[in-house]
Amino acid sequence: MKFAVTGLAAVLAFTVAVPALAKPKPAPVVAAPVPAEVQAAVLRDDALKTNVAYDFLSELTTRFGPRPAGSDSEKRAAEWAAAHLKELGFQNVHIETFPLHVWARRGPETIAITGEFAQPLVGVSLGGTTAGEVEAEAVMFDTWQEFLDSKADVTGKIVVVLQPMAKASNGSGYGRMSGTVRSKGPMEAQKRGAVGFVMRSLSTDGNRFAHAGASAWSDGKGIPAMAISAPDASQLSRIEALQKAGKGGPVSIHMKTTGQFLGLKTSQNVVADLVGSEKPEETIVVGGHLDSWDLGTGAIDDGAGIAITMAAAKVMIDHNLKPKRTIRVVFWGSEEVSQPAGSPTSETGGGAFREAHKAELSNYVAHAESDFGADRINNFALSATDDTGFVTQLGNLLYPLGIYQDTKATPHGGEDSGAMNGFVPAFDLNQDGYRYFDTHHTANDTLDRIDPQQMSQNVAAYTATLWLMANTDVRFKLPPKDEE
Amino acid sequence: MKFAVTGLAAVLAFTVAVPALAKPKPAPVVAAPVPAEVQAAVLRDDALKTNVAYDFLSELTTRFGPRPAGSDSEKRAAEWAAAHLKELGFQNVHIETFPLHVWARRGPETIAITGEFAQPLVGVSLGGTTAGEVEAEAVMFDTWQEFLDSKADVTGKIVVVLQPMAKASNGSGYGRMSGTVRSKGPMEAQKRGAVGFVMRSLSTDGNRFAHAGASAWSDGKGIPAMAISAPDASQLSRIEALQKAGKGGPVSIHMKTTGQFLGLKTSQNVVADLVGSEKPEETIVVGGHLDSWDLGTGAIDDGAGIAITMAAAKVMIDHNLKPKRTIRVVFWGSEEVSQPAGSPTSETGGGAFREAHKAELSNYVAHAESDFGADRINNFALSATDDTGFVTQLGNLLYPLGIYQDTKATPHGGEDSGAMNGFVPAFDLNQDGYRYFDTHHTANDTLDRIDPQQMSQNVAAYTATLWLMANTDVRFKLPPKDEE
């Protein structure tokens, strides 16, 4: 979709009169500069009318499907994206390559109950785990803590953890389970002699999708480890109840996993700038990650994030506007991975970017990442600055979009941009993530999950925020040390 | 869950006073018979408080998972169900075996786009089609009619039909597509020289599940034929749009299917009676089908149907009530199949039942089948009888459940019970099927899709209807010939 008002006409409007705010009156003879917040409001409202983000996301996900970290698909998508960014008018567009230990599924995986309750289950192996085939008795634990506390002998058995994940708009149920049961579960089960590990997917709904996700690096020496769908976990809970009622014997499970590490390969970040007109070295970094899990087409995670941040800058290009500071859009590679601890690849896309740009970081003004789907942004967080008026101004600008300031939150950016925490201040535009973990890391993460209208609200919020931040002298504060 | 009022106490209540309807007054010295419609109202209201149907469905789907036609799982489920029905107090419980050409998947199936737009798709082969592996260029048609009308040479290619299915409460979008594109598509494509057939699943939502379903008998001599999920069909439509815009070349598809016919085996119907106290030969047949597709656990299709109809009769047993006519509950086997045309197995569970009971059919008073999930019943249809007062009485009884008479519809029973059309009058208790085809024939057809409260409303409607029909002398009419 093209703009109703062309770039040139819009610039004229900016230096003559702002139709949305001013009543009809004769144009002044001498053009007066328009304040940044007024320009930002116009950019914001125009962003709501565009489909740039959705169209980009549609073509990306359609053309390349899944874009697993380090895959040929991720690489081709990066090359296509770079060409696309150049065509859209971005500057300094380039690809930065970095090393990566690549993990991939090599064929169909299966998991099934065998014996008395024989039936197939829906499951996927966890990233970083091992290809293998095993059949053994299942030992079920209702929670991760119950497993940790248990003295049960699981030698030669399959450990099954059935703990469900809490559902919340801010996604707060996820972190404490991805870092424990999913990350540490397979290794902990192996340490206790188990031959397999099964967990309930980190899912917030009841559809029968298994949710992939990274687990701690096992270097191909681990045990088969899978996440089953929430309905399958409920099924195992019901079987456990039948057992306890004396209506069934032990449950055995057969697993066949095909995921494994393929060795040291490469991935890449795509970098594109709107170079600042007055202070080009002062840079605001925004973006998302280009890679995705291999089951879906990575629409909400995280094609949406790169589409939104790219489109926000594109609104400025379409108005022929140059920010005073540089706005740098990064499509990070390989966010969805686990890597060997301590190796040069232990931090991936985001870490590689930080290392490659270490010398510039002191000039980086702020960073943010969109990596939580494309539903409405509900609130924002920005480190308090000496100029508290700036945050008020930003709040006024975002309020018409239904976005308020979360005064209690410390901004931290995303998984990739957050690699710069401690060096570069962060800001957050937080989306409503209530349905995000319904779909996250599943085959169901496709374009169909995107609501174009909510996505445009995201673009509007980013374009307004970026324009204001890129046209001020205000500096933003790093969070206090203990908050990092 | 147990009844708050035990069977004996309830019978006493029936012959003394009906608490829900009568104001407190001295009990009459001589017990007066309670009219059937008053008893039916009490049974109806008690049914709303029970979990019998849900508990039965929970154990059935948990214990046996999928129950494909002619499988060991279907057989074990039938044996378990028969034992369960005996335990619940049903009479004449027995299993009737019949021959069946069994079709089954023999391992994981895959479908993927290869070449320029390479990516995996989510698909399943159609029942009755052939195991095989093929890779060829895809020729896409937006509708079934477009394919039929097309003069395009599809020799050596894969025919893809992308037509979506309409969504409606009465499921009216299904029949005209299951009988055409799904049933005839593979054979028609093969006839024109195609080496594979792909269709958009008969699905009414956008989640990434492929919907299985029977196709016309190909006797293992067909071509690989699959249904892909709705989002995958949308993906192919978008790729087609890119092609038409000059942004992409031809699309090739690789398919590997593993489903095939395994030869002539057996399946079975489970039959259980509440024998009538006055006219036992006059029989009302209700039920559902025990078999399911192999992907889910057959909760909405059709564990729910057998659970609902069984539980409706169980409410009467729990009250120690005997109907005057016999109520026969049948768990039909093998509804989800296609069989050789003209062979003795061309009609399966329902047809086998009709043949086995041919001599009794003239005494059968009516038949109905619950095979449309477990959401609320919205309306009913019953052939007009000479005694129009009966239908009015039934309407009054069902009205408090939110059920009205559909005066325009001709009742036809279900796929199985409908085999008796022409011999036995039908009645319908029609559910709201708005979300039925979201899940129908997918891996997502699990217990999680069932709303226990709506399911109890179904049980209440069946128990009230059956009690009224089993305690009247009214006969019901066969529909006029041209309606059959």
Side-chain angles (χ1 to χ4, degrees), chain B residues 5 10 25 78 120 122-123 126 130 142 195 242 250 255-256 297 348 432:
Chain B
V5 180
K25 57 180 178 180
V122 171
L126 297 173
T130 310
D142 290 342
V195 296
L242 286 174
M255 302 162 73
K256 188 180 172 199
T297 63
T348 54
D432 173 15

Side-chain angles (χ1 to χ4, degrees), chain A residues 109-115 117-123 134-136 158 226 228 236 251-256:
Chain A
E109 303 179 310
T110 58
I111 177 166
I113 302 173
T114 55
F117 297 97
Q119 56 190 283
L121 302 176
V122 171
V134 66
E135 181 169 358
I158 293 173
M226 298 179 93
I228 55 174
L236 285 173
V251 169
S252 57
I253 286 178
H254 176 269
M255 302 162 72
K256 187 179 174 202

Side-chain angles (χ1 to χ4, degrees), chain A residues 382-395 405 474 477:
Chain A
L382 182 64
S383 299
T385 66
D386 294 333
D387 181 356
T388 54
F390 182 87
V391 176
T392 304
Q393 203 173 53
L394 180 59
Q405 187 192 1
V474 173
K477 272 189 182 167

Side-chain angles (χ1 to χ4, degrees), chain A residues 188-213:
Chain A
E188 183 66 25
Q190 184 178 24
K191 208 171 76 184
R192 298 194 187 191
V195 296
F197 176 79
V198 175
M199 64 178 283
R200 183 183 172 114
S201 284
L202 300 190
S203 174
T204 49
D205 87 342
N207 284 310
R208 205 171 180 198
F209 293 109
H211 295 237

Side-chain angles (χ1 to χ4, degrees), chain A residues 54 58-59 61-66 73 76 108-110 115-120 122 206-209 230-232 234-235 238-239 242 247-248 294-297 442-449, chain B residues 54 58-59 61-66 73 76 108-110 115-120 122 206-209 230-232 234-235 238-239 242 247-248 294-297 442-449:
Chain A
Y54 188 82
S58 175
E59 187 163 348
T61 55
T62 298
R63 196 172 275 284
F64 303 101
S73 170
R76 289 187 299 113
E109 303 179 310
T110 58
E116 184 180 353
F117 297 97
Q119 56 190 283
V122 171
N207 284 310
R208 205 171 180 198
F209 293 109
D232 288 285
S234 300
Q235 185 82 326
R238 285 189 292 267
I239 289 176
L242 286 174
K247 292 174 159 186
D294 56 340
L295 306 171
T297 63
T442 69
N444 205 31
D445 179 3
T446 65
L447 187 64
D448 312 70
R449 302 286 83 69
Chain B
Y54 187 82
S58 174
E59 186 162 348
T61 55
T62 299
R63 195 173 276 284
F64 302 102
S73 171
R76 290 188 298 112
E109 303 178 310
T110 56
E116 183 180 355
F117 297 98
Q119 55 190 283
V122 171
N207 283 311
R208 205 172 178 199
F209 292 109
D232 288 284
S234 300
Q235 186 82 326
R238 286 189 292 269
I239 289 176
L242 286 174
K247 292 173 158 189
D294 57 339
L295 306 171
T297 63
T442 69
N444 204 31
D445 178 4
T446 67
L447 187 64
D448 313 68
R449 300 289 82 69

Side-chain angles (χ1 to χ4, degrees), chain B residues 2 17 46 136 151 222 267 357 367:
Chain B
K2 282 275 171 198
D46 271 358
K151 302 273 183 271
S267 178
H357 297 269
H367 71 79

Side-chain angles (χ1 to χ4, degrees), chain A residues 236-477:
Chain A
L236 285 173
S237 297
R238 285 189 292 267
I239 289 176
E240 200 185 10
L242 286 174
Q243 289 176 319
K244 285 180 179 166
K247 292 174 159 186
V251 169
S252 57
I253 286 178
H254 176 269
M255 302 162 72
K256 187 179 174 202
T257 58
T258 64
Q260 60 186 71
F261 278 98
L262 308 180
L264 196 59
K265 298 176 180 276
T266 59
S267 179
Q268 57 282 312
N269 297 321
V270 182
V271 181
D273 291 341
L274 287 194
V275 178
S277 59
E278 293 186 9
K279 294 171 284 186
E281 73 290 353
E282 292 190 12
T283 302
I284 302 163
V285 181
V286 291
H289 63 87
L290 180 62
D291 70 307
S292 76
W293 275 98
D294 56 340
L295 306 171
T297 63
I300 67 160
D301 188 16
D302 180 30
I306 63 176
I308 289 163
T309 50
M310 175 279 290
K314 176 66 165 60
V315 179
M316 303 169 197
I317 295 174
D318 284 335
H319 280 279
N320 278 333
L321 286 176
K322 277 193 184 305
K324 291 180 183 171
R325 287 166 165 167
T326 292
I327 295 172
R328 169 162 285 185
V329 177
V330 185
F331 296 180
W332 283 283
S334 300
E335 192 262 357
E336 305 287 11
V337 295
S338 58
Q339 294 285 290
S343 95
T345 67
S346 62
E347 292 181 286
T348 53
F353 178 83
R354 182 198 59 215
E355 294 308 307
H357 298 269
K358 206 148 204 170
E360 308 158 16
L361 296 186
S362 59
N363 273 324
Y364 280 13
V365 176
H367 71 78
E369 184 170 354
S370 172
D371 186 17
F372 202 36
D375 281 351
R376 297 183 71 82
I377 293 172
N378 279 340
N379 63 76
F380 74 96
L382 182 64
S383 299
T385 66
D386 294 333
D387 181 356
T388 54
F390 182 87
V391 176
T392 304
Q393 203 173 53
L394 180 59
N396 291 339
L397 197 58
L398 297 181
Y399 185 72
L401 297 173
I403 300 169
Y404 65 89
Q405 187 192 1
D406 183 348
T407 53
K408 290 180 184 163
T410 303
H412 51 71
E415 193 71 24
D416 298 294
S417 79
M420 293 181 283
N421 283 339
F423 303 95
V424 183
F427 69 98
D428 293 335
L429 290 166
N430 293 309
Q431 287 143 319
D432 173 14
Y434 194 70
R435 64 183 190 128
Y436 183 68
F437 290 107
D438 293 357
T439 300
H440 180 250
H441 294 187
T442 69
N444 205 31
D445 179 3
T446 65
L447 187 64
D448 312 70
R449 302 286 83 69
I450 302 292
D451 174 345
Q453 277 197 298
Q454 295 195 64
M455 186 176 223
S456 291
Q457 186 256 18
N458 277 252
V459 177
Y462 268 97
T463 199
T465 304
L466 286 172
W467 188 254
L468 207 64
M469 293 177 77
N471 290 285
T472 181
D473 295 323
V474 173
R475 281 270 181 169
F476 310 102
K477 272 189 182 167

Side-chain angles (χ1 to χ4, degrees), chain B residues 250-448:
Chain B
V251 169
S252 57
I253 286 178
H254 177 269
M255 302 162 73
K256 188 180 172 199
T257 58
T258 66
Q260 60 186 72
F261 278 98
L262 308 179
L264 195 60
K265 298 174 181 278
T266 59
S267 178
Q268 57 282 311
N269 297 322
V270 182
V271 181
D273 290 341
L274 287 195
V275 177
S277 60
E278 294 187 9
K279 294 172 284 185
E281 73 289 353
E282 291 190 12
T283 303
I284 303 163
V285 181
V286 291
H289 64 87
L290 181 61
D291 69 309
S292 76
W293 275 99
D294 57 339
L295 306 171
T297 63
I300 67 159
D301 186 18
D302 180 31
I306 63 176
I308 288 163
T309 49
M310 175 280 291
K314 177 66 166 61
V315 180
M316 303 168 195
I317 295 174
D318 285 337
H319 280 281
N320 277 332
L321 285 177
K322 277 195 185 303
K324 293 180 183 170
R325 288 167 165 168
T326 292
I327 295 172
R328 169 160 286 185
V329 177
V330 185
F331 295 180
W332 283 283
S334 299
E335 191 262 356
E336 305 288 11
V337 294
S338 58
Q339 294 285 291
S343 96
T345 68
S346 62
E347 291 182 286
T348 54
F353 179 84
R354 182 198 57 215
E355 294 307 309
H357 297 269
K358 205 147 207 171
E360 307 158 17
L361 296 187
S362 59
N363 273 324
Y364 280 12
V365 176
H367 71 79
E369 184 169 356
S370 172
D371 186 16
F372 202 37
D375 281 352
R376 298 184 70 82
I377 292 171
N378 280 340
N379 63 75
F380 73 96
L382 183 63
S383 298
T385 68
D386 294 334
D387 181 354
T388 54
F390 182 87
V391 176
T392 305
Q393 204 172 51
L394 180 59
N396 291 339
L397 197 58
L398 298 181
Y399 186 70
L401 298 173
I403 299 169
Y404 65 90
Q405 186 193 359
D406 184 347
T407 52
K408 290 182 185 161
T410 303
H412 51 72
E415 193 70 24
D416 297 295
S417 80
M420 293 181 283
N421 282 339
F423 303 94
V424 183
F427 69 99
D428 294 334
L429 290 165
N430 293 311
Q431 289 142 318
D432 173 15
Y434 194 69
R435 63 184 191 128
Y436 183 68
F437 290 106
D438 293 356
T439 300
H440 179 251
H441 294 187
T442 69
N444 204 31
D445 178 4
T446 67
L447 187 64
D448 313 68

